[in-house]
C-alpha cells in the first residue's frame, strides 16, 4: 500500500513576518504604560533629586559671590574642610589595603570562616552609623574599656581626630571589597595558576596579572569609598564632640551654621559637597562602563560570578 504525502501550501516570508508581528511579546507593554512609568520616574527624580540639588546651588550664590567666598574661607569652614580631607585621605588608603586583601583571600583561597568574613564585611551596611559611633565611645571613651589606659598615657581618641578617622574607616570599609569580589570571582584563578607555573612569585602575579585585571573595579570602589567618607555624618557626629574649629567635619559644620540661621554659609559649604558628589557621579559612570565591559568579557568566556 503506497503512502502519499499531502503537499503543504508554501509559506511566504511576508506571512511569517506578519504572524511574528501579530504575536505579542511578554515584555512589551502598551505605549501609554511605558509613558506613564517613565514620567513617574522622571517626576520622582525631579522632585527628590534635581530640585533639591538646584536649590543648594541657588541658595549658595543667592547673596553674591563675595558672600559665598567669605562663607567657605572663614576659619571654622576651612578647619572643617581640612579635617574632612584628612579623614578621607587616611580612611580611603586603609580601606584600599583591606579591600584588596579581603577580596584576594575570598576569591583565591578556600579556608574556614570564609562565609563569616563575607558577613563581617557587610556589617557596616546593617549597623546604623550612630550605633557604630557609640561602639567607639564605649571602647575608647573616658568610661570605656581603654579609657583609663588612654588617659594615663595622655592619648585621646574620642572627641579628637583619631576617633573621627576610626568612625570613617568603619562605615566605608565594605565598598572596595564588595566591588572587587564579584569581578575577581568571575575571573577565576586560571591566569594566576599559569603565572605560577611559569615561575612568577606572589608579588609578580599580583602586579602583572591580578592588578591589571581589576584596576577599573578598584578605582570604582575607591571613588565610592571617597564619596561616602566625605559625606559621613552619623558616626562622626557621635565621636567628634562638635568642637568648632577642631573636630567638625563639613557635614557637622553645615548642621551647626544652619541651626544658627546662617543659611548662606550652610548652603555655601553644602555646595562644595554637592559639587564633589557630581564629580564623583561622572567618574562613577565612566568607570562603571569599563567595569561592566570587563565583567561582560569574562561572562562571554564561559565564566560567571559565583
Amino acid at each position: 500500500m503506497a503512502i502519499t504525502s499531502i503537499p503543504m501550501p508554501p509559506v511566504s516570508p511576508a506571512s511569517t513576518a506578519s504572524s511574528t508581528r501579530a504575536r505579542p511579546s511578554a515584555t512589551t507593554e502598551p505605549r501609554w504604560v511605558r509613558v506613564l512609568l517613565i514620567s513617574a520616574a522622571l517626576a520622582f527624580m525631579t522632585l527628590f533629586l534635581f530640585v533639591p540639588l538646584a536649590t543648594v546651588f541657588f541658595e549658595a550664590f543667592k547673596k553674591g559671590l563675595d558672600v559665598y567666598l567669605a562663607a567657605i574661607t572663614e576659619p571654622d569652614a576651612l578647619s572643617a574642610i581640612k579635617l574632612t580631607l584628612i579623614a578621607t585621605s587616611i580612611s580611603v588608603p586603609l580601606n584600599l589595603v583591606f579591600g584588596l586583601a579581603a577580596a584576594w583571600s575570598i576569591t583565591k583561597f578556600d579556608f574556614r570562616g570564609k562565609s563569616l568574613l563575607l558577613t563581617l564585611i557587610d556589617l557596616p551596611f546593617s549597623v546604623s552609623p550612630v550605633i557604630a559611633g557609640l561602639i567607639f565611645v564605649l571602647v575608647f571613651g573616658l568610661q570605656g574599656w581603654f579609657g583609663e589606659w588612654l588617659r594615663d598615657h595622655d592619648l585621646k581618641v574620642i572627641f579628637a581626630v583619631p576617633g573621627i578617622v576610626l568612625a570613617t574607616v568603619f562605615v566605608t570599609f565594605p565598598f572596595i571589597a564588595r566591588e572587587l569580589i564579584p569581578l575577581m570571582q568571575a575571573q577565576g584563578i586560571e591566569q594566576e595558576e599559569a603565572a605560577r607555573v611559569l615561575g612568577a612569585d606572589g608579588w609578580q602575579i599580583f602586579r602583572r596579572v591580578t592588578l591589571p585585571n581589576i584596576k577599573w573595579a578598584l578605582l570604582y570602589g575607591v571613588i565610592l569609598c571617597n564619596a561616602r567618607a566625605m559625606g559621613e555624618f552619623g558616626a562622626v557626629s557621635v565621636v567628634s564632640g562638635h568642637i568648632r574649629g577642631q573636630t567638625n567635619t563639613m557635614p557637622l559644620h553645615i548642621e551647626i551654621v544652619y541651626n544658627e540661621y546662617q543659611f548662606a554659609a550652610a548652603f555655601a559649604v553644602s555646595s562644595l559637597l554637592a559639587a564633589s558628589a557630581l564629580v564623583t557621579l561622572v567618574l562613577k559612570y565612566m568607570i562603571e562602563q569599563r567595569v561592566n565591559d570587563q565583567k561582560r568579557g569574562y561572562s562571554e568566556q564561559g565564566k560567571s560570578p559565583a
Side-chain angles (χ1 to χ4, degrees):
M1 179 177 175
I3 300 176
T4 59
S5 61
I6 301 175
M8 299 296 294
V11 180
S12 64
S15 62
T16 304
S18 62
S19 63
T20 303
R21 287 194 299 268
R23 186 184 301 117
S25 173
T27 58
T28 300
E29 300 293 344
R31 180 179 178 82
W32 68 270
V33 174
R34 286 178 285 168
V35 172
L36 179 63
L37 292 176
I38 294 174
S39 301
L42 290 176
F44 185 88
M45 292 182 63
T46 300
L47 181 62
F48 292 99
L49 179 61
F50 299 139
V51 171
L53 188 62
T55 302
V56 169
F57 288 100
F58 174 77
E59 293 291 337
F61 291 97
K62 184 170 68 173
K63 294 186 177 180
L65 184 60
D66 293 337
V67 175
Y68 178 84
L69 294 177
I72 63 175
T73 56
E74 61 103 5
D76 288 344
L78 290 177
S79 174
I81 295 171
K82 179 181 177 181
L83 182 56
T84 301
L85 294 177
I86 290 174
T88 302
S89 62
I90 294 175
S91 60
V92 171
L94 290 177
N95 285 322
L96 174 63
V97 174
F98 169 78
L100 279 171
W104 179 280
S105 301
I106 290 171
T107 58
K108 306 301 180 182
F109 306 102
D110 289 322
F111 55 90
R112 290 184 178 180
K114 189 174 181 177
S115 299
L116 178 61
L117 179 58
L118 278 169
T119 302
L120 292 177
I121 289 176
D122 291 334
L123 186 62
F125 290 146
S126 58
V127 175
S128 169
V130 175
I131 301 301
L134 288 174
I135 291 173
F136 288 115
V137 171
L138 293 175
V139 174
F140 299 106
L142 290 178
Q143 307 301 322
W145 295 351
F146 302 105
E148 185 176 350
W149 184 89
L150 292 171
R151 181 185 58 198
D152 294 340
H153 292 78
D154 197 22
L155 298 174
K156 198 171 185 180
V157 175
I158 302 301
F159 307 148
V161 175
I164 295 173
V165 172
L166 284 175
T168 305
V169 169
F170 177 83
V171 298
T172 56
F173 78 75
F175 287 95
I176 296 178
R178 268 302 173 187
E179 188 59 37
L180 290 177
I181 289 172
L183 178 62
M184 295 178 72
Q185 286 176 333
Q187 291 173 351
I189 61 174
E190 288 82 3
Q191 295 183 19
E192 284 82 357
E193 290 178 341
R196 174 68 70 181
V197 171
L198 294 174
D201 57 27
W203 171 246
Q204 290 175 327
I205 293 174
F206 174 77
R207 184 168 56 90
R208 297 186 178 182
V209 178
T210 304
L211 189 58
N213 289 334
I214 65 172
K215 60 182 179 181
W216 293 113
L218 181 62
L219 185 56
Y220 182 66
V222 167
I223 289 175
L224 293 180
C225 181
N226 178 80
R228 184 71 173 85
M230 292 190 67
E232 172 53 29
F233 180 85
V236 172
S237 177
V238 175
V239 302
S240 71
H242 294 268
I243 305 174
R244 298 186 77 160
Q246 296 184 34
T247 62
N248 275 342
T249 58
M250 292 173 67
L252 300 183
H253 176 75
I254 292 169
E255 181 200 26
I256 288 177
V257 295
Y258 187 85
N259 290 335
E260 294 176 351
Y261 302 102
Q262 301 179 37
F263 300 124
F267 282 108
V269 181
S270 297
S271 68
L272 297 180
L273 284 177
S276 68
L278 291 176
V279 173
T280 299
L281 187 63
V282 173
L283 294 175
K284 173 182 175 293
Y285 173 78
M286 296 171 60
I287 295 174
E288 193 174 33
Q289 302 306 308
R290 297 279 191 134
V291 174
N292 290 337
D293 291 342
Q294 198 172 34
K295 289 180 179 179
R296 193 178 303 114
Y298 285 107
S299 298
E300 291 174 353
Q301 295 174 9
K303 302 174 183 177
S304 59

